[in-house]
Amino acid sequence: MTTQISIVERSTTRISAADFRRLDASPQFWELVELGVLATERRGRAEVSLRAGPFVGCATIGDVRLRVQEKVAGSLAALVRCVSGASALSANAPTFVSDDATLLGAIAESFVTEVERYLREGRRRAYYPRESVSASPRGKILVGKTMRVWATGRRDRCAFALHDLSPEKFVNSLIGAAIAIVECMARQWHGFEVLRRRVRTAALLFEDMDWHRLLKLPVDLFDREYSRASPTFGNLTALAGIARLFVRHFGISDGLADDEVPRSWFVKLELLFEEAVRQAISRAARRHGLRATDWRPAMRYVISGGRRWRAEPDVVLWRESVPVAIVDAKYKDIAAEPDHGDVYQVLCHAGAWNVGMAALAHPASATEIRMLGESSEGVQLMLGALDILNLEGACERLLEACALTEAQTG
């Protein structure tokens, strides 16, 4: 008999001693513990609790099905829709396929959108070496091989080496395999007719790639090929990451039951929220004459002249080449006032970046933007509660408030 255990991220739930014994006997469970997905808490001999970390996902441990759910229903799917790439933590434990297609549909839509953008720019190509024998040589003549051809009596032919410009093999095969998997999955989803049409159109443009080969590889060999090719991905890293998720977790089979996937994967909502806020603010910033990046375009340090404590805000807003504001995204519940540590951190970053405006952004069920006040250094500090199910609109309101404050104080 299968036991279902559901835990909300960053919370604790009690389990029976029998369930704990079954989990304790599985190395896959302790791998999840080592990865920080779960933790065990014991109070007395019989009372055992499981505590979920910042990850959400599901896994099958023997006859126990574990599911770590997000605090706000639908927030994971909403965040995935806001980002161009999704990263996941992988574990050896198999996982079960949920009947709810909301999350996978959101990831699939994000993936197909990136594939369409990639196709509009043209598939990446590379030169591949090839040798040939012909009466019309092209490229470098291979003297030795040509002499052997002549020795057979065919003095009208030459052997030569050339380079063919063809679609890059691994990355296009990876995308083609992922598209094929998404197409199969989308057939079972209700309400995704538009997605199915988009997938079928994209699939036609990858029929010339040998993507079937990837689905026949063992997981370890697939990982090896992916790692070998990943340094060449460049701006396709996010797209390749989502394609890998579908191929690795939904395409490569280890002979499990139809309702299972070979490996489980867990998404860290904290990182996903930060990336979703950054990308949503970036899209909104262009409409206000601003540019949004992370901290990497310009290194700033908390201590002048030192290079140890780097100021790394999640979002830096630029007007042309001048930074004007920073935003720190905090995936936590904030009541009436933010934590002292968060305030100190964002004001410290604002000082390092020499900006007059800073904002703390956190997830909420409704959007509310309010000014906390001005620091002793003259930095305007804003608090943004962002509707996690409507993050695009919430970030637009946050940018409007920042732009208005800049105009009033600038």
Side-chain angles (χ1 to χ4, degrees):
M1 180 178 177
T2 301
T3 302
Q4 303 274 356
I5 299 178
S6 295
I7 318 172
V8 176
E9 52 165 327
R10 298 182 186 272
S11 68
T12 303
T13 187
R14 290 184 59 181
I15 62 173
S16 67
D19 287 340
F20 177 73
R21 284 194 295 270
R22 284 187 285 177
L23 295 173
D24 184 36
S26 172
Q28 296 168 337
F29 170 73
W30 291 109
E31 181 187 5
L32 296 179
V33 173
E34 291 176 2
L35 291 172
V37 176
L38 297 168
T40 59
E41 298 179 358
R42 303 202 65 163
R43 297 178 182 176
R45 184 172 299 179
E47 186 175 336
V48 183
S49 298
L50 284 183
R51 178 167 182 80
F55 299 92
V56 296
C58 50
T60 301
I61 309 294
D63 55 356
V64 178
R65 287 188 167 186
L66 288 169
R67 181 190 296 275
V68 183
Q69 300 172 315
E70 65 266 47
K71 293 179 182 178
V72 180
S75 60
L76 179 54
L79 291 177
V80 168
R81 288 191 179 97
C82 292
V83 299
S84 59
S87 59
L89 182 72
S90 177
N92 284 320
T95 187
F96 52 93
V97 179
S98 172
D99 294 332
D100 182 9
T102 303
L103 172 58
L104 286 179
I107 298 176
E109 286 179 339
S110 174
F111 171 62
V112 173
T113 299
E114 289 300 305
V115 171
E116 291 169 342
R117 183 181 294 117
Y118 168 59
L119 291 173
R120 285 194 296 270
E121 297 172 353
R123 288 190 303 175
R124 181 179 289 182
R125 294 176 176 270
Y127 284 98
Y128 293 98
R130 178 171 65 90
E131 294 184 0
S132 182
V133 176
S134 172
S136 302
R138 294 174 292 143
K140 179 182 178 181
I141 301 296
L142 303 175
V143 177
K145 291 187 177 181
T146 298
M147 297 303 293
R148 287 193 289 272
V149 171
W150 285 10
T152 65
R154 297 302 305 267
R155 299 181 66 86
D156 61 327
R157 300 172 72 85
C158 290
F160 56 92
L162 72 161
H163 286 77
D164 288 332
L165 182 62
S166 303
E168 190 170 336
K169 293 179 180 178
F170 184 83
V171 70
N172 286 301
S173 296
L174 177 66
I175 296 171
I179 281 286
I181 292 165
V182 171
E183 183 178 9
C184 292
M185 298 172 69
R187 293 174 191 163
Q188 314 300 322
W189 299 339
H190 299 291
F192 285 86
E193 290 76 11
V194 174
L195 175 63
R196 285 195 287 271
R197 289 196 294 270
R198 293 169 61 196
V199 170
R200 283 195 293 268
T201 301
L204 293 173
L205 300 176
F206 290 92
E207 288 185 345
D208 59 334
M209 303 308 303
D210 184 22
W211 54 262
H212 298 86
R213 181 187 68 87
L214 294 182
L215 301 183
K216 298 175 183 177
L217 294 177
V219 171
D220 293 343
L221 186 55
F222 171 79
D223 285 344
R224 198 176 309 146
E225 287 202 19
Y226 184 90
S227 299
R228 190 182 303 122
S230 59
T232 67
F233 290 159
N235 62 349
L236 297 181
T237 299
L239 175 58
I242 310 181
R244 176 180 179 270
L245 185 149
F246 281 109
V247 172
R248 198 180 193 281
H249 298 281
F250 300 98
I252 299 176
S253 174
D254 284 346
L256 298 173
D258 291 339
D259 62 343
E260 289 186 339
V261 176
R263 294 173 65 88
S264 56
W265 55 278
F266 292 83
V267 177
K268 192 171 185 178
L269 284 188
E270 181 178 350
L271 296 180
L272 193 59
F273 178 70
E274 292 174 2
E275 183 61 25
V277 168
R278 184 181 300 114
Q279 294 192 23
I281 288 180
S282 180
R283 288 188 285 269
R286 290 190 287 268
R287 295 188 288 272
H288 294 275
L290 299 171
R291 178 170 58 95
T293 68
D294 60 11
W295 53 270
R296 290 179 177 83
M299 300 295 185
R300 303 293 173 89
Y301 296 88
V302 174
I303 304 296
S304 299
R307 301 184 68 83
R308 289 184 58 191
W309 295 285
R310 190 164 51 205
E312 302 179 358
D314 296 318
V315 183
V316 180
L317 289 170
W318 304 73
R319 189 172 296 281
E320 297 179 351
S321 61
V322 179
V324 295
I326 64 167
V327 179
D328 257 357
K330 302 296 182 183
Y331 188 75
K332 58 175 64 175
D333 295 326
I334 295 180
E337 302 294 340
D339 295 341
H340 286 186
D342 294 338
V343 173
Y344 299 154
Q345 181 189 44
V346 73
L347 290 178
C348 185
H349 288 173
W353 282 84
N354 193 28
V355 296
M357 189 185 322
L360 285 169
H362 67 94
S365 57
T367 299
E368 180 185 359
I369 312 296
R370 60 189 178 96
M371 183 64 67
L372 292 180
E374 182 176 321
S375 73
S376 58
E377 302 296 327
V379 177
Q380 300 285 334
L381 181 58
M382 191 176 300
L383 182 64
L386 307 182
D387 184 354
I388 197 169
L389 300 182
N390 183 24
L391 199 58
E392 292 284 342
C395 289
E396 178 72 37
R397 286 182 56 185
L398 179 62
L399 258 293
E400 289 174 353
C402 287
L404 179 61
T405 302
E406 182 193 7
Q408 291 174 346
T409 60

